[in-house]
Amino acid sequence: MRLGVLTSGGDAPGMNAAIRAVVRQADALGHEVWGIYRGYQGLLVGDMAPLPSRACANILQRGGTMLHTARCAEFYEAEPRARAAGKLREAGIEALVVIGGDGSFRAAETFQREHGVACAGIPGTIDNDLSGTERTLGFDTALNTAVEAIDRIRDTASSHGRLFLVEVMGRSSGMLAVHTALACGAEAVLYPESPDDSYEALVTRLNANWLRGKRSSIVVVAEGDTVGRAMAVGERLKRDHALDLRVVVLGHIQRGGSPSAMDRIWGSRWGAEAVRRLDCGESGFYLGEVAGALVAQPLSRILEPQPVPPGDLGRLIAILAR
Ligand code: F6P
């Protein structure tokens, strides 16, 4: 069998580990793998080539994706998808491994349904916002990157007795924000799914901290928070309370860097498992982790509502910041 593999959407540390595992497990089972460059964008124009085992040397420990990636709005339309199916037929590719997030899996689900291409998904996004899995590649690394950065900010916040608002990624999910806030002992966290996500609640919390004698604070703000981006919240606080605060947007620093051991381990396990299942004739699934076990979910499950950060973590952050 000839398999195609692509990475799609925002890159995430651990994607290279998954590519390597796909290629090498396929090699071990006597299958051939072609790399498709720049995700669905590259598939539309047939940007693909054989990916031999040796081409994956020394990529396990590297961030980014050796196949490059893209966000491809065109793939939401039927005609480009039909063109892509034609490209796969021309190249003799019978099955496709898609490493990406929610949008990439939705596209794979439609693509398989419309054109009968056997698809397998490997979760790769620093947002950790896919239903059916408690882990996605890149989340663990991004979390550690954010925590390391905030530990540094904490030093200077404490020296100057300042409030810092630190924005972390997560367009529509507070997963990264909540876990970062808990891991670095933040005084507060703003995230879209929070039951008390409001400017007023934040001000009340900061006032209470001040009265308790806290002279410096870290507030983690999820990029997609409904109160606003960190810069806007900071401006509003300055205007209302004349605070000497600073805003840091961590941005794409969170997306790069060498993958953590866990992201390498799960990238390797999922890459190999995807190929083993395709080899057995299975398709239309994506892999995940639930309670420590490797699981497979039907691709259609991606349409279910995305998971929300556990509410008890939000409460714990408040209790521990006393
Ligand atoms: O999907 C992952 C993610 O990092 C989001 O957290 C963020 O909102 C988005 O990608 C940024 O995308 P881009 O790199 O295309 O600006």
Side-chain angles (χ1 to χ4, degrees), residues 3 5 15-16 22 36 40 50 66 80 93 141 160 175 180-181 191 207 215 230 277 287 293 295 303:
L3 309 167
V5 58
M15 283 182 160
N16 280 327
V22 166
I36 299 163
Y40 293 114
M66 69 167 295
I93 294 173
T141 306
H160 287 261
M175 283 288 192
T180 300
Y191 64 106
N207 272 335
R215 291 297 171 260
R277 285 177 184 258
L287 300 173
V295 296
L303 304 172

Side-chain angles (χ1 to χ4, degrees), residues 32-120:
E32 190 189 352
V33 177
W34 279 39
I36 299 163
Y37 295 87
R38 295 177 296 112
Y40 293 114
Q41 195 79 55
L43 179 54
L44 289 178
V45 292
D47 188 2
M48 51 181 97
L51 198 56
S53 190
R54 295 272 51 84
C56 297
N58 281 325
I59 63 166
L60 176 68
Q61 71 278 22
R62 292 217 209 115
T65 157
M66 69 167 295
L67 292 176
H68 301 171
T69 186
R71 300 192 188 277
C72 180
E74 244 189 303
F75 213 76
Y76 291 118
E77 292 158 32
E79 190 280 324
R81 283 196 299 270
R83 221 177 331 130
K87 295 289 179 194
L88 288 179
R89 270 195 304 277
E90 275 168 33
I93 294 173
E94 298 156 64
L96 189 61
V97 179
V98 172
I99 307 169
D102 157 86
S104 310
F105 285 5
R106 283 168 190 255
E109 197 268 332
T110 313
F111 194 47
Q112 164 152 343
R113 204 163 14 86
E114 280 178 353
H115 299 285
V117 177
C119 288

Side-chain angles (χ1 to χ4, degrees), residues 109-242:
E109 197 268 332
T110 313
F111 194 47
Q112 164 152 343
R113 204 163 14 86
E114 280 178 353
H115 299 285
V117 177
C119 288
I122 295 177
T125 162
I126 67 161
D127 292 351
N128 200 11
D129 59 349
L130 305 190
S131 67
T133 180
E134 291 165 8
R135 177 189 296 278
T136 59
L137 294 179
F139 176 72
D140 186 54
T141 306
L143 175 60
N144 282 292
T145 303
V147 168
E148 191 187 324
I150 294 177
D151 284 350
R152 289 164 193 262
I153 294 169
R154 176 69 81 180
D155 291 344
T156 178
S158 167
S159 303
H160 287 261
R162 275 176 178 155
L163 163 64
F164 272 79
L165 302 181
V166 186
E167 182 177 292
V168 299
M169 275 190 166
R171 198 178 9 221
S172 62
S173 166
M175 283 288 192
L176 191 55
V178 168
H179 288 86
T180 300
L182 183 58
C184 60
E187 276 64 32
V189 55
L190 294 179
Y191 64 106
E193 307 92 334
S194 164
D196 61 350
D197 190 44
S198 74
Y199 177 75
E200 290 71 25
L202 174 66
V203 171
T204 306
R205 177 84 64 85
L206 292 174
N207 272 335
N209 284 345
W210 180 266
L211 294 174
R212 277 193 204 107
K214 283 207 173 204
R215 291 297 171 260
S216 67
S217 291
I218 302 279
V219 177
V220 176
V221 183
E223 178 192 13
D225 189 63
T226 46
V227 178
R229 301 284 297 252
M231 205 61 89
V233 179
E235 287 308 318
R236 192 168 166 192
L237 281 170
K238 268 193 215 168
R239 204 184 52 225
D240 297 350
H241 301 279

